[in-house]
Amino acid sequence: MHFDAIGRVPGDPILGLMELYAQDANPNKFDLGVGVYKDAQGLTPIPHSVKLAEQRLVEQQTTKTYVSGHGDAAFGKLIGELVLGADSPLLRDRRAGVTQTPGGTGALRLSADFIAHSLPGRGVWLSDPTWPIHETIFAKAGLKVSHYPYVGSDNRLDVAAMLATLAKVPEGDVVLLHACCHNPTGFDLSQDDWHQVLKIVRERHLLPLIDFAYQGFGDGLEQDAWAVRLFAAELPEVLITSSCSKNFGLYRDRVGALIVCAADAEKLLDVRSQLAFIARNLWSTPPDHGAAVVATILGDAELKKLWSEEVEAMRVRIAQLRSGLVEALQPHGLAERFAHIGVQRGMFSYTGLNAEQVKQLRDKHSVYMVNTGRANVAGIDATRLALLAEAIADVSRL
Ligand code: LMR
């Protein structure tokens, strides 16, 4: 038979947890696996701003014909402003262009294929650890993937080791950086650290690819864009992948963008012609609905205000869950050991729990997190923090 030689690959390390969790009959289970935000009721809500924009679209949208290869122009303009700043000189000078993609993952895939096709011979450097799909996306595009250290064996950010490795990266290679809310660790660079990375990137003529999947979940919508804007202002060429999955709650609608900053407007057009060609061969034209929702929200002062407040409420809740968990661990004498959970930013915490402890958490306590010890803090039920702390304390004795 044709398919006889086809073997089976293991399930996705993150999405696979959704199925395991769904099958668990324990009413006290915790879903700290896939990175989705949950509210106090344990639901991943559709923001009100999104619902209102969708209603408007149903009434006012007149066609479902294709959008262009770079996506909807209004979406592109507004995402460019959200990421680079409304008064960005790059946008004014047409040095930055937005290509709408199916989610942030689509933007990463597009950039991987772009590097493979248009910048042959360049390697890609990822943080160790990083989101596991970074590893496979760039490898599948045929690129050589290498790593720079990010977190030490003590589960603390190790900037010195990161900088030492970056200083030896071959000239011209691509360095993937997480703009904020590092996935999986939750450890972010300080502004001083970013300046040091920038210095090396400039000296070694590296091409930064900044993954920006969690704008608004770290310190705020504007604050989280600080490093992206610094790099875009200081360097002639930058790639940025942006996602609307989390901050707009549009996970399944697949909304993202690849933003290219080029040295001048003419060069940008060259690069964009390549991107349109590659995208045409990947998904032809991007899906419209989610991007139209985003454009409707960002293009309307009232909806944008409502949305900004909704993002801020999610951000504040996550921060409270972080400090709440550290507090709940206090009676177990573990507040200091897990103090980093309060320092980390965004949805994820690299807890420092090892694979065996994660397995025990799942098997004995129905607490689901990624094998590497990554917990989605945004999935915690605040009313059961004590129960979660007890479970963590139990496996911490291992
Ligand atoms: C995660 O890391 O859990 C999220 O980015 C969702 C995903 O696609 O893996």
Side-chain angles (χ1 to χ4, degrees):
M1 300 296 284
H2 292 297
F3 300 157
D4 277 353
I6 298 176
R8 200 171 301 180
V9 290
D12 184 86
I14 297 175
L15 297 181
L17 286 174
M18 290 170 84
E19 282 158 45
L20 287 179
Y21 175 80
Q23 285 158 14
D24 190 331
N26 182 349
N28 268 322
K29 58 189 178 179
F30 283 90
D31 179 11
L32 313 184
V34 67
V36 295
Y37 174 84
K38 294 194 183 187
D39 64 13
Q41 285 71 45
L43 296 171
T44 301
I46 302 174
H48 294 300
S49 50
V50 167
K51 272 283 182 203
L52 290 169
E54 287 187 311
Q55 277 160 10
R56 208 177 280 185
L57 282 173
V58 167
E59 280 159 25
Q60 296 175 4
Q61 207 168 38
T62 52
T63 181
K64 291 277 186 191
T65 188
Y66 299 119
V67 292
S68 92
H70 289 292
D72 174 48
F75 170 83
K77 176 179 179 291
L78 292 160
I79 283 294
E81 290 173 1
L82 184 69
V83 170
L84 295 171
D87 51 1
S88 162
L90 282 108
L91 295 171
R92 184 196 61 214
D93 300 342
R94 299 186 183 280
R95 279 186 46 218
V98 176
T99 300
Q100 183 184 318
T101 56
T105 308
L108 286 161
R109 178 59 206 257
L110 182 58
S111 44
D113 277 9
F114 167 68
I115 295 161
H117 284 95
S118 303
L119 301 170
R122 313 293 183 101
V124 175
W125 292 75
L126 307 176
S127 63
D128 178 18
T130 194
W131 185 48
I133 315 307
H134 282 151
E135 309 276 355
T136 43
I137 282 185
F138 292 98
K140 286 274 172 211
L143 296 163
K144 178 169 184 263
V145 173
S146 311
H147 298 92
Y148 58 85
Y150 195 72
V151 166
S153 51
D154 57 352
N155 195 30
R156 295 290 177 275
L157 183 63
D158 190 348
V159 182
M162 173 186 183
L163 295 173
T165 299
L166 289 184
K168 292 189 213 125
V169 169
E171 292 214 357
D173 272 7
V174 178
V175 181
L176 190 148
L177 301 159
H178 299 229
C180 68
C181 311
H182 184 271
N183 182 4
T185 69
F187 288 117
D188 283 346
L189 299 177
S190 69
Q191 294 196 351
D192 269 1
D193 299 336
W194 276 110
H195 276 291
Q196 297 199 61
V197 173
L198 173 65
K199 187 164 172 281
I200 295 175
V201 165
R202 187 188 275 129
E203 279 167 8
R204 302 202 60 74
H205 299 292
L206 306 177
L207 176 61
L209 165 52
I210 310 184
D211 193 3
F212 198 12
Y214 300 94
Q215 184 171 5
F217 277 29
D219 292 315
L221 281 165
E222 290 294 306
Q223 293 89 330
D224 290 348
W226 181 86
V228 170
R229 293 176 190 174
L230 173 76
F231 273 54
E234 295 287 327
L235 297 169
E237 295 168 325
V238 182
L239 301 175
I240 304 153
T241 52
S242 157
S243 169
C244 301
S245 296
K246 279 80 182 181
N247 51 11
F248 284 86
L250 283 165
Y251 306 86
R252 64 171 65 167
D253 281 314
R254 313 307 299 139
V255 195
L258 172 59
I259 303 177
V260 177
C261 307
D264 58 54
E266 276 304 303
K267 190 43 69 188
L268 181 68
L269 293 177
D270 294 338
V271 172
R272 281 172 67 74
S273 72
Q274 299 288 344
L275 294 179
F277 174 78
I278 297 166
R280 173 70 163 141
N281 287 276
L282 283 171
W283 47 72
S284 195
T285 60
D288 172 68
H289 179 74
V293 168
V294 169
T296 304
I297 293 172
L298 295 180
D300 179 290
E302 248 176 65
L303 284 181
K304 185 173 177 185
K305 181 168 174 289
L306 174 61
W307 168 73
S308 307
E309 288 164 3
E310 293 187 286
V311 178
E312 183 60 9
M314 290 194 275
R315 189 188 76 76
V316 168
R317 178 176 150 77
I318 296 171
Q320 285 167 350
L321 287 168
R322 286 186 175 282
S323 47
L325 181 55
V326 178
E327 248 172 64
L329 286 160
Q330 179 98 46
H332 302 279
L334 291 172
E336 203 173 312
R337 172 162 164 200
F338 288 100
H340 53 274
I341 296 176
V343 174
Q344 294 158 333
R345 284 282 178 280
M347 300 176 105
F348 302 118
S349 169
Y350 225 39
T351 56
L353 295 169
N354 63 34
E356 180 51 31
Q357 291 167 323
V358 170
K359 184 172 177 314
Q360 291 288 322
L361 272 177
R362 186 155 64 222
D363 295 349
K364 274 179 78 180
H365 302 281
S366 296
V367 176
Y368 290 76
M369 60 173 78
V370 182
N371 285 342
T372 52
R374 186 195 84 169
N376 172 28
V377 179
I380 296 175
D381 172 358
T383 62
R384 292 186 293 133
L385 276 170
L387 193 63
L388 178 60
E390 240 169 68
I392 292 174
D394 180 39
V395 303
S396 294
R397 290 185 207 108
L398 289 177

